[in-house]
Amino acid sequence: MKKDFYLTRYALIIKKLESAPVTYSQMEDYLLNSFEFQDAGIKSYSIRTLQRDIREISNLFNLSIHNKKKGDNRYYIESRPMMEVDEYNQKLLESFQVSNALNNHPDFANFIFFESRKPTGVEHFYDLFFAIRNKRIVLFEHYNYKNKLMTSRKVHPLALKESKDRWYLIAIDTKDKALKSFGLDRINYLDITPQKFREKYKYNFREHFKNAFGVMNLTEQHPQKIVLKCSRHQGEYIRSFALHQSQKEIKETPTDIYFEFFLHPTYDFMQEILSYGKEVKVLEPISLVEDIKKHLQESLNSYLKD
């Protein structure tokens, strides 16, 4: 068994057990017939290896896998980690699967094409993660695209959030004690100071962003029901890859699919809707409908002026 193949095995085992409990022989058959095992030229998989893999999966991903439940000899996932850890595990497994494909096949550049547009600032990720865990006061320069100014910031870092392939630092700005978000791609001259902040902030960011789309300031808005009418073509895409965790399909016709959401009608969400053009129409709330109309009219006016 190849030593550098273990992460791929873990990913395949978890994928199989998430679909249904299986016996050792069923797992062996599944793994040996997978394209990953075929590409690696692996033709055997012992029960001892499975048992060792299960122990390592438990240590690495906090997944409890057992068998012989009430006389049953099938393996099954007995317990899962809390939701946020499970989401991290899923991203980790996806990274493992992609990494394994690239490492095992040097000619991948002829077949796999990555997005060439990459956000900057990711080099700050671990430093800020360290600062959050250790309550370190952070200093940096932050660039504002709107007013084109670079300002000095002193913050208490509290969380990191991903939104549309960009990372943001969620922190308390000591200047006005306000909770703000700072794009990592606009942070310069980062300094993780040795000084710790003593304040105990009681934010529950999982709840704070539960009804959010993006990282816009939510203090001035309340989440509300939003209904979209989508063309069947676009609706199928939105159905397969939800815009938000609150998404519910409420109606379907031969030509359209209707979705309901419960979230803050932020500028970020409006921009997302506008990106679909005529394929998606907001039905409610009226306030968001009017905002969309105003934005579209202003866009049209800018073209008419030329």
Side-chain angles (χ1 to χ4, degrees):
M1 189 71 67
K2 293 186 177 181
K3 291 184 177 180
D4 60 351
F5 195 66
Y6 65 97
L7 293 175
T8 297
R9 297 201 311 270
Y10 299 168
L12 289 169
I13 290 169
I14 293 172
K15 179 181 177 182
K16 183 63 175 175
L17 292 177
E18 283 181 330
S19 63
V22 295
T23 62
Y24 157 68
S25 60
Q26 289 171 328
M27 179 65 77
E28 179 190 34
D29 184 64
Y30 167 74
L31 293 175
L32 295 181
N33 283 289
S34 69
F35 292 132
E36 289 87 345
F37 270 62
Q38 291 179 41
D39 264 350
I42 298 173
K43 301 184 182 299
S44 65
Y45 183 74
S46 69
I47 190 168
R48 289 183 62 185
T49 303
L50 173 60
Q51 291 167 345
R52 184 173 64 247
D53 285 349
I54 286 173
R55 288 195 298 271
E56 292 301 319
I57 288 171
S58 176
N59 293 333
L60 186 59
F61 299 105
N62 197 27
L63 276 175
S64 181
I65 299 172
H66 293 282
N67 72 333
K68 297 184 179 178
K69 182 180 181 181
K70 295 182 179 180
D72 193 343
N73 65 348
R74 294 180 299 171
Y75 290 87
Y76 63 97
I77 296 175
E78 183 180 55
S79 64
R80 305 191 68 93
M82 54 186 177
M83 184 181 297
E84 54 266 36
V85 176
D86 210 19
E87 290 174 0
Y88 162 78
N89 287 343
Q90 188 59 44
K91 284 187 176 291
L92 199 59
L93 282 170
E94 291 169 1
S95 298
F96 288 160
Q97 289 172 307
V98 172
S99 177
N100 179 70
L102 303 187
N103 289 333
N104 288 338
H105 301 282
D107 61 343
F108 73 86
N110 296 324
F111 312 104
I112 300 174
F113 302 94
F114 293 96
E115 175 63 65
S116 59
R117 184 181 63 175
K118 299 292 183 182
T120 58
V122 181
E123 66 273 15
H124 300 315
F125 187 94
Y126 192 85
D127 290 353
L128 290 169
F129 179 50
F130 174 87
I132 292 167
R133 288 168 44 235
N134 293 280
K135 292 191 170 184
R136 295 286 190 87
I137 294 175
V138 173
L139 307 175
F140 56 82
E141 299 287 317
H142 189 256
Y143 185 73
N144 187 307
Y145 289 138
K146 189 174 182 179
N147 57 32
K148 298 182 179 180
L149 291 177
M150 184 79 79
T151 56
S152 298
R153 305 292 181 133
K154 179 180 180 181
V155 305
H156 296 172
L158 301 179
L160 289 160
K161 187 178 189 302
E162 183 185 18
S163 177
K164 299 183 74 172
D165 296 323
R166 292 177 184 266
W167 282 97
Y168 296 83
L169 170 66
I170 311 301
I172 297 291
D173 192 331
T174 59
K175 182 178 180 179
D176 54 11
K177 306 299 182 183
L179 183 69
K180 300 177 182 178
S181 62
F182 302 95
L184 267 59
D185 57 321
R186 287 174 277 156
I187 288 178
N188 295 285
Y189 309 111
L190 179 67
D191 179 17
I192 310 300
T193 74
Q195 184 181 358
K196 293 189 175 185
F197 59 90
R198 297 181 178 180
E199 289 83 349
K200 294 183 179 180
Y201 301 104
K202 296 183 179 180
Y203 290 102
N204 182 334
F205 287 108
R206 182 157 294 279
E207 285 298 314
H208 184 79
F209 289 112
K210 179 180 178 181
N211 302 116
F213 188 92
V215 292
M216 299 295 287
N217 192 329
L218 308 179
T219 57
E220 298 179 359
Q221 291 182 312
H222 297 288
Q224 54 188 294
K225 183 175 77 171
I226 297 174
V227 178
L228 303 182
K229 174 185 176 183
C230 308
S231 68
R232 172 159 289 281
H233 173 260
Q234 190 60 58
E236 293 288 358
Y237 282 101
I238 294 175
R239 173 189 278 165
S240 64
F241 189 46
L243 297 181
H244 186 261
Q245 62 184 6
S246 66
Q247 178 173 307
K248 292 192 301 184
E249 187 174 327
I250 58 174
K251 183 179 176 181
E252 182 177 358
T253 71
T255 57
D256 303 296
I257 302 176
Y258 295 74
F259 297 100
E260 179 182 302
F261 304 83
F262 187 72
L263 46 73
H264 299 265
T266 60
Y267 181 77
D268 282 353
F269 186 70
M270 185 175 76
Q271 289 294 99
E272 181 72 18
I273 298 305
L274 287 167
S275 71
Y276 295 111
K278 64 183 179 64
E279 301 295 321
V280 175
K281 179 181 179 180
V282 178
L283 300 183
E284 57 179 285
I286 295 301
S287 58
L288 182 56
V289 173
E290 294 303 319
D291 286 342
I292 294 282
K293 286 181 179 179
K294 180 181 178 182
H295 190 95
L296 290 172
Q297 188 60 59
E298 290 175 349
S299 295
L300 178 60
N301 290 342
S302 70
Y303 280 99
L304 295 175
K305 289 178 182 179
D306 297 334

